[in-house]
C-alpha cells in the first residue's frame, strides 16, 4: 500500500501591528526636552544648557522636524547628557513622568491606540528619543513594544555616543526586524507620524497616516494616498491610569470620531488617484 503524502504544514498566521511615532504624534512636544526642568532640579543640567536646548527645541516645534533641525537637536542632546548617571536619569523620569508630560498626550492618539488593541493589533512606539524616556511613556500608554534610540554607556554613565539612532531609515529597518521576530504582516499594518523624516516608516507598512503633518509630509501623503489625521485634544497621562466616568465618555467619543474618520479615509482612498511612488515608499 502506497503511503499517503505528508500534508504541507499550515502557513503561519501573520499578526498586525500599529507603529506610532511619539513626539508631536502621540504627545504635543519633544519627549526628551519635556524633562528639562526635573533634570535641572536634579543637578544634571545648568540653566545655560537648558537655554541652549530650549532654543533647539523651539526651532524643532515651530519649524518642523526637518533633517537639519532634528540633527541639531540630536547633537545638542547628545552633548548635554555626556557623563550623566543612567540610574539617576531613570529615577528622575520615573518620579516626574506625569508632571513633565501632562497634559501633552493627544486624546485622539489614546483612542486610536485603544482601537488597535481592541482589534487585536500590537502597538509599537517608535521614537528617536532615548529608551530611558520612551519606555516609561510607552508602558503607561499600554504599548506592546518600543523602538527607541540607545545611548552608549560606560561604567553607568552616558559617553555621548549613540549605539542606535532611531531616525529616518533606521526606524524603517527596525520595524522590518521587529516584524520578522514577531510575525507581523507589514502590508496589513499601520504607521503614524507627523514628520517628513518618518517617510520611510510610513512607507514600510500598508497603511500610512500623516498626523498633524508638516508641509512636506502633507504633500507626500497626497502623492502616496496616505491618510491625514488631525490630533488636537490633549489629556493628562494620570487620567489614563485612573480613568473617571467622564474620562471614559470622552475617550469613547473620540474613539468613535476616529473610527468614522478612518472608515471615510478607507472609502475615499479606493477612488482617489495615487501619485507616483517615492523611493521611500
Amino acid at each position: 500500500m502506497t503511503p499517503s503524502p505528508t500534508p504541507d504544514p499550515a502557513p503561519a498566521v501573520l499578526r498586525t501591528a500599529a507603529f506610532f511615532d511619539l513626539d508631536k504624534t502621540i504627545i504635543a512636544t519633544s519627549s526628551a526636552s519635556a524633562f528639562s526642568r526635573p533634570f535641572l532640579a536634579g543637578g544634571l543640567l545648568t540653566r545655560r544648557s537648558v537655554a541652549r536646548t530650549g532654543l533647539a527645541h523651539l526651532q524643532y516645534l515651530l519649524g518642523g522636524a526637518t533633517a537639519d533641525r532634528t540633527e541639531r537637536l540630536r547633537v545638542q542632546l547628545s552633548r548635554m547628557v555626556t557623563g550623566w548617571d543612567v540610574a539617576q536619569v531613570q529615577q528622575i523620569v520615573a518620579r516626574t513622568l506625569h508632571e513633565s508630560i501632562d497634559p501633552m498626550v493627544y486624546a485622539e492618539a489614546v483612542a486610536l491606540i485603544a482601537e488597535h488593541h481592541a482589534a487585536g493589533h500590537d502597538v509599537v512606539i517608535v521614537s528617536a528619543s532615548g529608551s530611558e524616556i520612551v519606555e516609561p511613556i510607552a508602558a503607561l500608554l499600554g504599548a506592546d513594544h518600543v523602538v527607541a534610540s540607545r545611548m552608549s554607556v560606560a561604567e553607568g554613565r552616558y559617553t555621548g555616543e549613540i549605539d542606535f539612532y532611531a531616525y529616518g531609515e533606521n526606524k524603517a529597518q527596525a520595524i522590518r526586524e521587529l516584524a520578522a521576530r514577531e510575525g507581523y504582516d507589514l502590508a496589513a499594518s499601520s504607521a503614524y507620524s507627523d514628520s517628513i523624516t518618518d517617510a520611510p516608516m510610513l512607507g514600510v507598512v500598508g497603511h500610512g497616516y500623516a498626523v498633524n503633518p508638516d508641509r512636506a509630509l502633507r504633500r507626500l501623503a497626497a502623492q502616496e494616498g496616505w491618510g491625514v489625521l488631525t490630533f488636537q485634544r490633549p489629556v493628562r497621562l494620570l487620567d489614563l491610569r485612573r480613568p473617571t466616568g467622564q474620562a471614559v465618555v470622552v475617550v469613547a467619543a473620540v474613539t468613535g470620531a476616529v473610527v468614522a474618520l478612518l472608515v471615510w479615509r478607507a472609502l475615499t482612498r479606493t477612488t482617489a488617484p495615487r501619485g507616483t511612488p517615492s523611493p521611500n515608499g
Side-chain angles (χ1 to χ4, degrees):
M1 180 176 180
T2 304
S4 59
T6 303
D8 294 332
V13 177
L14 295 178
R15 297 185 293 142
T16 302
F19 302 90
F20 286 82
D21 174 50
L22 180 60
D23 297 353
K24 299 173 69 177
T25 300
I26 293 180
I27 62 176
T29 187
S30 160
S31 52
S33 298
F35 288 91
S36 294
R37 287 186 179 180
F39 288 158
L40 175 64
L44 295 175
L45 286 176
T46 64
R47 294 191 181 276
R48 183 176 179 181
S49 61
V50 168
R52 287 199 303 266
T53 304
L55 177 60
H57 181 220
L58 182 62
Q59 293 171 337
Y60 169 82
L61 289 178
L62 297 181
T66 64
D68 287 344
R69 291 190 183 98
T70 304
E71 177 61 15
R72 285 199 295 271
L73 184 60
R74 183 199 68 80
V75 170
Q76 181 61 43
L77 292 174
S78 179
R79 290 173 179 169
M80 181 179 68
V81 305
T82 300
W84 285 12
D85 182 272
V86 177
Q88 184 181 6
V89 171
Q90 293 171 332
Q91 291 168 2
I92 291 175
V93 170
R95 188 175 66 250
T96 65
L97 179 61
H98 290 294
E99 69 183 68
S100 299
I101 300 298
D102 288 350
M104 299 292 186
V105 182
Y106 287 122
E108 296 90 341
V110 174
L112 198 50
I113 288 171
E115 277 297 307
H116 279 292
H117 273 149
H121 304 164
D122 278 5
V123 170
V124 184
I125 307 299
V126 187
S127 175
S129 294
S131 58
E132 290 82 4
I133 290 175
V134 179
E135 288 177 358
I137 298 174
L140 202 54
L141 291 167
D144 301 284
H145 298 283
V146 170
V147 173
S149 295
R150 298 188 301 272
M151 300 292 294
S152 177
V153 176
E155 298 181 353
R157 295 182 180 274
Y158 296 120
T159 67
E161 300 297 321
I162 299 179
D163 288 336
F164 173 72
Y165 189 28
Y167 172 80
E169 179 58 36
N170 286 349
K171 281 189 176 182
Q173 182 58 32
I175 288 173
R176 294 187 194 97
E177 293 172 357
L178 181 63
R181 292 196 302 270
E182 296 295 328
Y184 297 145
D185 180 358
L186 289 181
S189 296
S190 306
Y192 304 84
S193 179
D194 69 292
S195 171
I196 188 61
T197 61
D198 280 338
M201 168 178 160
L202 298 180
V204 79
V205 298
H207 307 284
Y209 293 91
V211 177
N212 299 344
D214 56 35
R215 189 172 302 172
L217 181 58
R218 187 177 293 274
R219 286 196 299 266
L220 183 60
Q223 294 173 11
E224 295 294 330
W226 295 337
V228 177
L229 304 176
T230 300
F231 291 175
Q232 57 187 6
R233 290 175 52 87
V235 294
R236 297 180 65 230
L237 276 174
L238 188 60
D239 293 337
L240 302 183
R241 297 188 89 175
R242 294 197 299 268
T244 62
Q246 181 180 4
V248 171
V249 171
V250 169
V251 171
V254 173
T255 300
V258 170
V259 172
L261 178 59
L262 292 180
V263 170
W264 179 82
R265 286 288 178 189
L267 293 175
T268 56
R269 285 177 65 188
T270 61
T271 58
R274 295 177 60 89
T276 302
S278 71
N280 289 326

